[in-house]
Structures are given as C-alpha cells and as structure tokens.
C-alpha cells in the first residue's frame, strides 16, 4: 500500500523555471526512504508537496490514500495532525515551551485529554532517549537533543508517516548517526514510514531506498530500485 | 481553544517582556487616567450643580406662573401665606426662603450700576444660600439699624467706590408704574469670586416690597431646599398638585439651569472624544506590539501549520494573545484609576495646581478642591472600550496570519 504517491507532478514557483518536473514515485507503508540530491535539486519542494504544504501545478499526489488536490485546507491540516509527523533541519521547537510541552502540542491539537496527553508525551520523550529532560527549554538543549524532541513530537500522535527535511544537516556526524539509528528503530519497531532528505552519504547509507533527485527530476527510478534489489 | 493553547498564548505574550510591558503600560496609563479623569469630571459637574443650587435658586423654585422666564416683577404671588404654611409643614422640605427680585439702578456719589436686587429674609436665606458665609467686610444683616441695609458684592463695591456705611440710592420701576426710589446703607460686602459679585445686592424682603410697590405681603418666589436630593422631583410634583389652582410654577434647579446642564453635557461629550483618542492610540500600541511579535515568529507559524494547526486555530491564538495583552493592561488601568480616584477622594484634588484662581462657570462659583468618588460605570466603559478596540487592533496581525504560506514561513529563520 502506497502512503505517498506522486504521478507526473510538476511545480514551478516563478512560472519560468520549474522546480520539479514530471515526478512520479511511490513510498509504500513501512518504507524507510530517502530523497537524495544536490542543493537546489528539489528535495524540499517534493517533501512540501507530499505533505500538502504546497500545491503542484500539474499531476496528482496522494497521501494516506487521499488525493491532496481534492482536500480543503482544513481537511489537509486535519490529515497532517493525525497521520503525519514533521522534522525539519533546525528550529523545529517552540522556544517558549519546554521539551515536554513541545511534544504535547500536536496531542493538544488532536484534543487528547490532558492526563493522557502528558503520559503520551512522556512516553515519546522516553522513546527518543530524553527521559527526564522534559522540563528543559529548547535553548537549554544541544542541537541533537532538540532534534530528538522534534522526533518525539513527530511520533507522539502515532502518525503513518514522518517527513524529515535534512534532519541531520545541523548536527555533527556522530549525532547524525544516532539520530538515523533512532529513525530506523522507530521504523522497525513501530512500523512508521519515513521519507527524509539528505545529501550526506553516511546518512543515505542507512536508507532502505534512495530516490535520487536532480534538477527537479527523479533519476531512473526503476534502475535505482533494481540496483537496491541487487544489493539486497 | 483548549487550555494548552491558552497557556501557549500567555507564554508567547511574555517572550519580549519589554515590548509587552510597554504596550501594557500604554493601556494601563491611558485607561487609568481616563477612569480617574471621568470620576473627576463627575465630581466637578456635581460641584457645578451644587454651586448652582447653593448660590442661586435652591433645589426648587416656587413662583407665580411665568415669573422665571423674564423675571417680570409684575408676576408675583399676592398672598404667599398658604404656600408658606404648606412648605413649613412638608416633611420633604429642609428649608425655604421667600424672595423678591428687582432689576434696577444702584448709585453712589461716584457711579452707578444696573443690578439685581434680591429681597430676602436674612435668617431664612442663610439656610438656602451660601452668601452669608462669604462676607468679607461688614456683616450679613446683623444688628439693629435705623437705615435700610444693603449687602453688595465686592465687584459692585469697587465699581461704586464705596465702603461699609456708605450711602447708596436704589432706583427701580414699581409694579404699579411708579418710580421706586430708596436710600440704603452698605452693611456688608460678599466675595464669591463670581459674576454675582458685580451684579447682585441683597436687601430685606420688606424693603424690596416697598421699592417695587408690591401690595400686601406679596413675594416673587420661594427657594426651597429638599431634605433628600433624590426626592426633588417628587417634591416638585407634590407642590404642583397642591397648588394646581393657584397659578403657581414649581421649577427644579435642572429646569432653571438648562445652560449649565447643556455645558455639562458638552464636557461629557468632549471627555468621550478624548477617551476615544487616548484608547485609539493605546490600541495602535497593542496592534504594533502583537504584529511585531507575530512577524518575529513567522517560522514558528510555519512549523505550526506543518504539524497540522489550522488557520482558524492560529487566528484564534493571535486574537487571544491580543485580548490577553489588553486584559492585563486594562486590569492594571482599572486599579490605577481606582487608586488615584480613591487617593483624591481622601485628600481632595485641587485644581488650583493647574490654574491660579477660582473657576467660574456661567456665573456660578466653583471651588477648586473637589472630592471625586469611584463611579464603576467608568470602569465598565473603559474596560469595554479597550477590549473592543483590541479586537480591532488584532485585525492587522490576523490578516498577516491568514495570508501566511507554510512553505514561505518555513524558509524564514
Ligand atoms: N519559494 C521559492 N521561490 C522560487 N524558487 C524556489 C522557491 N523555493 C525553491 N525554489 C527553487 O526550486 C528549486 C528546488 O528547491 P528546493 O528547495 O526544493 O531544493 P532542495 O533540494 O531542497 O535544496 P537544498 O538541499 O539546498 O535544501 C531550486 O532551484 C530553488 O531555487
Ligand atoms: Mg531543502
């Protein structure tokens, strides 16, 4: 079952250059997929389109079996709060809230009652290895710890998929490694689908599948998959 | 909106403490000042009214029908006995004073002036007006005298260039068309620092009657003070019914002081306009503070949208933040307004700090010291106005939020 499905999707910001050209691909449930490509190749654009944060000029995108172009803005927001987690490169967290409160935020959006909200947020923090740090504010934590809080927030609502746009670009390689390990563990143990972008070979090494993007296009998708199969 | 988001709004409100405190101060000082000023204006108005009552006609004037319009000396109460008996026995009446009013010339050897003569029974008038307490030279009809005494204002004294004991000639036209011509001796001089000082003279009731050639025991009017100010209208109605067949008019001080009431209304209107301007400036401060705060947090709104916050929820958060800011300001403002009013209620507020002299309005004397009281209505008005204006102030930040695109917001740092 495909969680994300792009069919011939194009996106142009300016009307002149095209950021994404005729992209088609699928991310199946349980996959651990990476978008790889140089700067400006269109990774962020693809992730934003997949999450419904932006709209395509042509083609169709479905997320969790819903055709995004037919969803209202409100339904799109509901779909995101219920089924999607998001981790960005940096500045993911609300600085006025503690780590625990940051994780509680999407649960509050989903109207989870306070007691359960707190319990689930604490469990999430524990899952990312931040047990006991819930009372800290973002500026009292390292970059890696902040990313872990962002991950805890992303998984607190039991999403079907987590999108992560260069989640390790702002941390050192050791921290990047442990973050990726965490992603992998969540993928395996909880069956959460991941689609993340990166241009770091060490990070990409861990991907179950690499979708290579260049100049807004996907490079020989079938060939990539065949290669991966061969490797496996 | 659940309590979690409310908490987030509250925390966001205080992330730039300096800016928020500045906006809170604007509302607090503006609101507090307005509450105090409104209470003070109320006290001042109250004082205008008190003075109009104390130095002019009392709470109620009972006169021959049509007398008050032109003070026509020919319109007198020929036999006031039944009215006087009624007033004396009425439990609502605290004091009353029969009066005869005449217009005419008052001359000394050095000059003359066109004035109002007020014929009174001094002992009775003491209980309805305050002139007796404003004597600066001589006495207020005290002691035996063979002459006809007259008590004049200090302005008149200077104009006529006379002293206590000086001789004055009064000249009027009697109601029968004859010329009234009488000799008076200055017995006292009053100083109210008002128009009355230049244009008013008191003589005894019987001397006034003689001057005007009024028949029998005729008078022009009774000035009546009620025991309970809130019962003036009831007393007025009672008087009207009691003397319905007597061609009598009973007018309250409000009926007589229409110009005073009108100017009070003008003051109140001016205060409202002023209030609106002050609060408008304060709400521009709110709008500015919230808008800046929202702009600085653009990326956070991007993250909020990415993780499923709806536009409606974000709009509500911005509105709530604005209302919280206004609420904090208005609470402090109310406390300030009440505090200042309460302070001056104890000590009295002296307008002489701002102006050197006593203040006059429409000839009525105003004491500069007044004792304002807390009138809750002003707290309600200011609070409501601030909250309504803050909703308007939220419109600009809200517009920014509704236009915000998630992808663009996420690009900012
Ligand atoms: N808001 C925008 N307006 C105009 N052009 C844009 C906008 N956002 C992206 N682009 C262009 O679209 C193309 C793809 O950009 P995108 O951000 O998706 O690349 P990326 O692969 O995420 O790059 P990076 O690795 O640097 O994050 C680039 O050519 C970029 O200049
Ligand atoms: Mg990018």
């Amino acid at each position: 079952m495909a969680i994300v499905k792009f069919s011939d999707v194009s996106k142009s910001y300016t009307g002149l250059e095209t950021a994404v050209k005729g992209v088609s691909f699928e991310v199946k449930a349980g996959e651990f997929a990476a978008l790889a490509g140089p700067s400006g190749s269109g990774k962020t654009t693809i992730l934003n389109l997949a999450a419904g944060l932006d709209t395509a000029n042509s083609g169709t995108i479905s997320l969790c079996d819903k055709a995004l172009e037919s969803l209202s803005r409100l339904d799109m927001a509901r779909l995101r709060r219920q089924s999607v987690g998001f981790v960005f490169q940096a500045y993911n967290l609300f600085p006025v809230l503690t780590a625990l409160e940051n994780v509680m935020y999407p649960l509050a959006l989903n109207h989870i009652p306070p007691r359960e909200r707190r319990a689930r947020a604490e469990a999430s923090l524990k899952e990312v290895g931040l047990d006991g740090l819930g009372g800290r504010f973002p500026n009292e934590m390292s970059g890696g710890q902040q990313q872990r809080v962002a991950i805890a927030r992303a998984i607190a609502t039991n999403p079907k998929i987590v999108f992560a746009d260069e989640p390790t670009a702002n941390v050192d390689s050791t921290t990047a490694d442990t973050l990726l390990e965490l992603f992998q563990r969540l993928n395996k143990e909880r069956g959460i689908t991941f689609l993340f972008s990166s241009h770091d070979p060490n990070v990409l090494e861990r991907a179950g599948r690499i979708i290579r993007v260049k100049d807004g296009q996907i490079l020989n998708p079938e060939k990539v998959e065949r290669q991966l199969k061969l490797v496996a | 909106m659940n309590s979690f988001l409310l908490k987030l709004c509250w925390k966001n409100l205080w992330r730039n403490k300096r800016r928020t405190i500045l906006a809170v101060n604007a509302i607090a000082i503006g609101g507090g000042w307005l509450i105090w000023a409104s209470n003070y204006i109320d006290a001042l108005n109250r004082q205008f009214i008190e003075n109009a009552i104390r130095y002019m006609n009392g709470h109620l004037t009972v006169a021959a029908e049509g007398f008050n319009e032109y003070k026509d000396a020919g319109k007198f109460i020929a036999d006031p006995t039944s009215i006087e008996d009624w007033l004396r026995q009425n439990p609502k009446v605290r004091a009353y004073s029969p009066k005869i009013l005449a217009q005419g010339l008052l001359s000394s050897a050095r000059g003359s002036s066109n004035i109002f003569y007020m014929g009174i029974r001094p002992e009775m008038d003491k209980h309805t007006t305050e002139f007796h307490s404003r004597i600066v030279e001589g006495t207020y009809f005290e002691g035996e005298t063979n002459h006809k005494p007259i008590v004049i204002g200090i302005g008149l004294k200077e104009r006529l260039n006379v002293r206590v004991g000086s001789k004055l000639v009064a000249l009027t036209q009697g109601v029968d068309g004859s010329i009234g011509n009488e000799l008076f001796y200055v017995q006292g001089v009053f100083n109210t620092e008002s128009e009355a000082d230049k244009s008013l003279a008191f003589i005894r009731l019987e001397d006034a009657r003689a001057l005007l050639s009024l028949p029998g025991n005729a008078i022009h009017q009774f000035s009546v003070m009620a025991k309970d100010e809130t019962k003036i209208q009831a007393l007025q109605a009672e008087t009207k019914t009691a003397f319905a067949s007597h061609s009598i008019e009973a007018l309250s001080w409000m009926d007589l002081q229409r110009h005073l009431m009108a100017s009070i209304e003008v003051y109140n209107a001016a205060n409202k306009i002023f209030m609106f301007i002050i609060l408008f400036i304060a709400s521009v401060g709110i709008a500015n503070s919230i808008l800046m705060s929202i702009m600085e947090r653009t990326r956070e709104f991007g993250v909020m949208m990415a993780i499923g916050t709806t536009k409606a929820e974000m709009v509500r958060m911005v509105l709530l933040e604005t209302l919280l800011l206004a609420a904090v300001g208005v609470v402090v403002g109310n406390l300030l307004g009440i505090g200042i009013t309460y302070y001056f209620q104890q000590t009295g507020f002296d307008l002489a700090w701002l102006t050197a002299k006593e203040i006059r309005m429409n000839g009525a004397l105003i004491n500069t010291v007044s004792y304002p009281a807390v009138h809750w209505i002003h707290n309600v008005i200011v609070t409501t106005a601030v909250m309504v204006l803050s909703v308007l102030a939220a419109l600009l930040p809200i517009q920014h939020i509704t236009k915000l695109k998630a992808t663009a917001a996420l690009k900012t740092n």
Side-chain angles (χ1 to χ4, degrees):
Chain A
M1 190 191 71
I3 297 230
V4 178
K5 185 171 176 9
F6 274 50
S7 310
D8 201 19
V9 172
S10 294
K11 169 74 183 174
S12 168
Y13 291 102
T14 53
L16 297 169
E17 301 154 83
T18 319
V20 166
K21 298 171 205 133
V23 163
S24 299
F25 71 96
E26 275 187 20
V27 177
K28 294 197 172 65
E31 263 197 289
F32 195 67
L35 286 164
S39 184
S41 56
K43 304 182 293 294
T44 298
T45 306
I46 289 172
L47 284 172
N48 286 346
L49 288 171
L53 293 179
D54 211 344
T55 47
N57 298 109
S58 64
T60 57
I61 302 166
S62 79
L63 174 65
C64 301
D65 295 321
K66 296 212 167 69
L68 291 188
E69 44 301 339
S70 66
L71 288 187
S72 69
R73 250 183 16 187
L74 182 65
D75 288 334
M76 198 97 81
R78 285 209 184 108
L79 177 63
R80 275 201 296 272
R81 73 164 60 159
Q82 284 161 6
S83 311
V84 178
F86 241 114
V87 179
F88 299 98
Q89 181 175 336
Y91 306 112
N92 278 288
L93 306 177
F94 304 121
V96 293
L97 298 182
T98 63
L100 185 69
E101 287 167 341
N102 264 286
V103 181
M104 281 159 75
Y105 179 87
L107 297 169
L109 284 186
N110 281 301
H111 305 289
I112 306 293
R115 191 171 299 198
E116 187 189 342
R117 193 192 296 161
R118 174 170 289 268
R120 279 173 67 172
E122 274 166 356
S124 267
L125 280 176
K126 196 169 181 179
E127 216 167 342
V128 301
L130 290 178
D131 207 10
L133 295 187
R136 294 227 189 144
F137 285 94
N139 63 5
E140 297 167 344
M141 288 186 288
S142 71
Q145 285 171 331
Q146 288 180 37
Q147 288 304 78
R148 279 168 190 272
V149 177
I151 295 163
R153 183 178 66 189
I155 61 164
T157 54
N158 289 323
K160 292 202 172 69
I161 185 164
V162 170
F163 295 112
D165 194 3
E166 313 213 27
T168 60
N170 266 36
V171 295
D172 61 60
S173 57
T174 338
T175 310
D177 253 8
T178 53
L179 287 177
L180 255 292
E181 266 168 34
L182 177 59
F183 277 1
Q184 275 180 314
R185 183 158 57 77
L186 292 167
N187 173 251
K188 282 212 187 77
E189 288 174 8
R190 300 214 359 206
I192 300 170
T193 310
F194 277 83
L195 178 61
F196 60 94
S197 72
S198 182
H199 46 227
D200 179 352
N202 292 328
V203 168
L204 292 171
E205 219 171 58
R206 292 180 180 268
R209 174 160 72 110
I210 296 175
I211 302 162
R212 289 199 185 276
V213 192
K214 198 182 178 209
D215 297 330
Q217 287 179 304
I218 290 180
L219 297 174
N220 306 329
E222 300 91 344
K223 215 164 119 191
V224 171
E225 283 184 44
R226 218 177 299 134
Q227 276 175 345
L228 277 167
K229 269 175 203 153
L230 286 174
V231 171
Chain B
M1 177 73 58
N2 58 46
S3 61
F4 185 87
L5 299 186
L6 179 72
K7 195 162 117 187
L8 177 58
C9 291
W10 180 255
K11 288 184 169 193
N12 274 324
L13 184 58
W14 297 101
R15 62 198 291 168
N16 188 330
K17 284 203 185 62
R18 222 176 79 93
R19 187 171 57 209
T20 300
I21 286 171
L22 227 64
V24 163
N25 275 352
I27 309 163
I29 293 171
W33 192 81
L34 283 174
I35 289 169
W36 144 249
S38 301
N39 285 333
Y40 177 63
I41 286 173
D42 273 5
L44 218 52
N45 288 344
R46 172 89 212 129
Q47 220 162 315
F48 289 165
I49 291 166
E50 290 268 292
N51 281 293
I53 292 167
R54 291 232 192 87
Y55 288 94
M56 292 167 128
N57 294 301
H59 290 144
L60 195 66
T61 296
V62 182
E65 203 161 10
F67 172 73
N68 277 294
E69 199 172 356
Y70 299 112
K71 309 279 186 223
D72 177 356
K75 292 185 171 157
F76 51 84
I77 305 170
D79 184 12
T81 336
S82 60
I83 301 173
E84 185 161 2
D85 289 345
W86 187 85
L87 286 171
R88 192 187 302 118
Q89 281 154 29
N90 194 311
K92 287 197 178 76
V93 174
R94 197 191 77 214
Y96 66 90
S97 167
K99 284 177 182 171
I100 292 173
L101 255 73
Q103 221 174 333
L105 210 61
L106 184 64
S107 314
S108 70
R110 308 265 169 77
S112 63
S113 194
N114 204 0
I115 64 152
F116 275 107
Y117 294 96
M118 185 85 79
I120 51 161
R121 279 191 213 136
E123 282 319 305
M124 298 188 81
D125 207 57
K126 270 185 183 175
H127 301 292
T128 62
T129 72
E130 298 291 326
F131 286 98
H132 64 96
S133 65
R134 291 288 188 148
I135 297 297
V136 290
E137 285 171 47
T139 67
Y140 182 78
F141 300 102
E142 269 166 35
E144 288 296 304
T145 167
N146 300 325
H147 314 291
K148 290 181 172 172
I150 187 166
V151 173
I152 61 174
I154 188 142
L156 200 53
K157 178 205 141 177
E158 276 156 18
R159 180 105 164 236
L160 302 177
N161 201 355
V162 291
R163 309 171 280 188
V164 171
S166 295
K167 199 163 41 166
L168 290 173
V169 177
L171 195 68
T172 61
Q173 186 171 25
V175 290
D176 55 359
S178 65
I179 296 293
N181 193 348
E182 300 277 351
L183 202 57
F184 287 92
Y185 286 84
V186 178
Q187 201 191 26
V189 177
F190 62 83
N191 183 1
T192 60
E193 296 219 5
S194 73
E195 281 307 301
D197 295 349
K198 279 187 240 158
S199 58
L200 193 61
F202 290 93
I203 54 181
R204 292 180 307 199
L205 198 65
E206 55 274 23
D207 297 341
R209 201 175 282 135
L211 190 64
L212 283 177
S213 310
L214 280 169
N217 56 355
I219 63 160
H220 281 130
Q221 64 172 56
F222 287 101
S223 290
V224 182
M225 295 300 281
K227 272 202 183 102
D228 179 352
E229 286 174 38
T230 61
K231 303 252 164 66
I232 294 172
Q233 253 138 356
L235 181 60
Q236 181 180 16
E238 238 176 72
T239 316
K240 274 181 180 165
T241 14
F243 301 98
S245 57
H246 282 61
S247 301
I248 287 295
E249 64 186 15
L251 300 173
S252 72
W253 65 268
M254 276 184 273
D255 299 329
L256 289 169
Q257 297 289 331
R258 291 210 182 283
H259 56 285
L260 177 62
M261 296 310 279
S263 46
I264 284 175
E265 255 156 51
V266 170
Y267 279 120
N268 287 342
N271 186 39
K272 278 194 193 97
I273 292 168
F274 200 58
M275 179 181 274
F276 182 78
I277 292 170
I278 295 242
L279 293 182
F280 183 79
I281 293 168
S283 63
V284 168
I286 303 176
N288 179 58
S289 170
I290 296 290
L291 190 61
M292 275 169 75
S293 166
I294 300 296
M295 302 283 242
E296 285 171 7
R297 280 188 275 151
T298 301
R299 186 188 163 80
E300 278 170 52
F301 283 105
V303 173
M304 281 186 183
M305 281 190 264
I307 62 181
T309 317
T310 63
K311 279 279 168 84
E313 282 163 333
M314 297 198 310
V315 165
R316 254 177 286 161
M317 279 192 237
V318 171
L319 184 62
L320 196 68
E321 209 173 306
T322 315
L323 290 176
L324 281 173
L325 175 66
V328 172
V330 92
V331 164
V332 178
N334 273 294
L335 292 176
L336 244 130
I338 293 169
I340 298 171
T341 306
Y342 187 76
Y343 176 80
F344 285 117
Q345 190 173 24
Q346 308 305 311
T347 63
F349 182 80
D350 193 349
L351 199 62
W353 292 346
L354 305 175
T355 61
K357 284 194 79 183
E358 279 185 286
I359 295 170
R360 273 165 239 157
M361 201 178 89
N362 299 316
L365 174 95
I366 307 302
N367 294 327
T368 56
V369 182
S370 40
Y371 296 84
V374 173
H375 296 286
W376 293 104
I377 183 69
H378 299 311
N379 297 77
V380 174
I381 291 170
V382 168
T383 303
T384 313
V386 168
M387 294 322 280
V388 169
L389 281 170
S390 73
V391 171
L392 297 181
L395 290 181
L396 217 62
I398 283 174
Q399 194 199 24
H400 176 77
I401 288 298
T402 51
K403 279 187 179 166
L404 199 62
K405 285 195 69 183
T407 48
L410 285 165
K411 276 212 167 105
T412 61
N413 266 325

